[in-house]
Amino acid sequence: MSGHDNSAVQAIKARLNLAELARRYVELRRIGNRWMAPCPFHQETKPSFSINEEEGFYYCFGCQASGDLIDFYCRINGLEFREGLEQLAEEAGVTLGQRQVNPYEEQERKFRTQCFDMYAIATQHFSRNLRDASGKECRDYIQGRTMSPEIVKSFELGWSKREWSALADELQRAGYQPRAAAKAGLLSTNDSGRMYDRFRGRLIFPIKNLSGKVIAFGGRIISSEDQAKYINSSDSTIYKKGDHLYGLYQARRAISQHKRALLTEGYMDVLALHQFGYANACGVLGTALTESQVKRLSGFCSHVDLIFDGDGPGRKAALRSCEMMLVKGMNCRVVLMPEGEDIDSLLHKQGTQAFDELSDQAPDGLDYCIKTLQTTFSPREILDWTTAFLNQLERPELASFYVSRLAGGLGLQEAELRAGLKMAGGKAAPQARSSAAGRVGKERKLERHLMEFAVRFPRHLTDLQARGAEEVLVSRWAKDMWDKLLEFGEGDAPNHFSEEQKSFWIRCRVADPIPAENERQELEDLYSKLAELNQKEQSRMMLAALRQLSKDANSDAGFELLRAMKDNLGRSDG
C-alpha cells in the first residue's frame, strides 16, 4: 500500500464507523464494551462475531475472520482491496489518486467516471421506455412470462426501442458523443463506420457491480426473430464479464445471511428464483464459470448450489464448475434440471416443492465428480483428471481431505495417489510439514510469547530491544512485524502489516489479549528468559572459542579462557 493510500485509509477510518458499516449486514448487540453478532462469514447462530470500536477491528471467535473496516467491506462484498478502498473513499468523501499518475491514467480515470454516468442514463432510458407506449409489447412479454412487478422494479428491467439511434440521441442530449458511447459498449459500429444502438428491440437486464452501479446490460429478444436470442455488453473500461455475476448485487445480503448461494446460467433463471423466494440466487454472464467469479462468491459464502440443465453440455459445465469450487475448498451441490426443463419453467409449472426436492436429492460436488468420471471417462482420463485436480488445490492441506474419497470412489490406490502428489511450489506434503512444524514448535514458543507481549504492550519495545529481544525472532513474519512496530509506532503499524501480521495483531489485542494486570509479571518473565538466553549464547561462544584454542600450541591461552568461562558461569549461577 502506497503512502497516499495509507493516508486515505486513515481518513476513511476517521469518517466511517466499523460498527455502523457492519450493521448494514448483521444485527449487532452491545455486550460490555464490544458489539456482538452471528458471524456473516460462516454458518452459525451464536454471536461469535465481535467488534471493538476503540481498536477499530473485528474478530470472529468461530472462524477467526478478522480485520479492519476496509477488510470487512472487501470481504463481505467480494472486492479486491483497491476496489473496496475506492468505494469507501467515495462514500466517506475522501479523495484518492493523489499519487503521481501519467496523463493516460488520468484520462482513463475520467473516462471510467463518464462510463458510469452513461450507463446510469441508459438505465433510466430503458426503464422509461418500458413504461411508455413503445414498451407495450415488452410489457406483454413480461406478463406472459409471469414476472412480478416487484421483480421488474428490483432488477430495474427495461426495454430498448427498435429504433437505430434512440439511446445514441439520448446520450448526445446529455453531452456524450457517439464515439465515447461506442467505446463504453453502448453503441456498435458497422463496416462503413456508422454508429447505432447496440441494443434494439430487446428486454434489458442491467448488470450491477457490488456498489450498485450499472456497468453493463444483457438483452433478450421477445419474439421469434432471426437474430441471437441474447446479446451482452462487450468488455469495457468498467466491465469484464468473467469478473461479475448477474444478480449478485441484489443477492449479496441473502447469501451472507444463508451462507449459501444458488448459481445458475441465465438471466430469466435468476429472476425466477428471486420471484419464488430464493433471494440468494445469481448467475454467470454468458460464459462458463470463471475463477474470478468463484473468488467473488467465496467472499460471501463457502456453500454453493450449482443449477444446470440436465443435458450433456449442462453436465459437462457442472463438472468443470464443481472442480473450480472444490479446489478453493468450497462446498457445492449439483442440482440438475429434468430433461426439457430449466429452473424458470420448473418453478412456474411445479412450484418450489419440486425444486426443493431436487435440491435435497442433489449430490455434493465431489460425489458428482466421481460419478461423472466413472460413467464417462476412461481409466487414463480418470487418472489425468485426478492428478490435475489435486495439484490445483489452493491449499495443499485439502489433499488429505480429498485423496481418500477419490481413491475409494474411483477404485484407485490411496497410497499411490499420495505418493504421486506434487505439492504446488515444491512444498512438502502435509504430513511432512506437520512433522517439521512439530520439531520447530518449541524453538518458536519464546518468539510467539515475545510478539504477543510486544503487540499488547508496545511501549516496552525499546527496552526489550536493548535486552536482545531481536535475537529471539527467527520467523520472517515476526522480524518484519517487529521492525514495522518500531518504525511506524502502535497507531500506524497495522496499516503496513501483511494479512498474517494483521490477524496476529487483532488476536492479541482484541480476541485474546494478555490481561492488563499481568503486564508487569509477563514483562519480568520475558526479562528472565532473555537473560537466560543471552547467558547460554555467551557460553556457547566461549566453548566454541575454547575448542579453537585447544588446537593451538599455546595451551596457556586455552587454560586462561577456560578459567574465564568458569568464573562467568559461576557468576550467573549465583
Side-chain angles (χ1 to χ4, degrees), residues 446 467 525-539 572:
L446 178 57
R467 294 173 183 258
D525 184 42
L526 278 172
Y527 283 166
S528 175
K529 289 179 177 177
L530 289 173
E532 180 182 350
L533 190 69
N534 288 333
Q535 185 61 50
K536 287 181 178 178
E537 178 63 15
Q538 288 179 20
S539 298
S572 65

Side-chain angles (χ1 to χ4, degrees), residues 507-573:
R507 186 180 68 76
C508 293
R509 294 180 67 95
V510 178
D512 187 25
I514 298 172
E517 59 268 23
N518 293 355
E519 178 181 0
R520 176 49 56 183
Q521 178 184 338
E522 293 278 345
L523 182 62
E524 293 296 338
D525 184 42
L526 278 172
Y527 283 166
S528 175
K529 289 179 177 177
L530 289 173
E532 180 182 350
L533 190 69
N534 288 333
Q535 185 61 50
K536 287 181 178 178
E537 178 63 15
Q538 288 179 20
S539 298
R540 186 193 66 78
M541 292 175 64
M542 293 180 75
L543 283 170
L546 180 59
R547 290 193 189 97
Q548 182 62 37
L549 287 171
S550 66
K551 300 175 184 178
D552 197 311
N554 186 356
S555 58
D556 291 341
F559 282 121
E560 194 65 34
L561 182 60
L562 180 62
R563 188 180 298 109
M565 185 178 72
K566 183 179 179 181
D567 292 343
N568 185 63
L569 290 173
R571 284 195 298 272
S572 65
D573 291 340

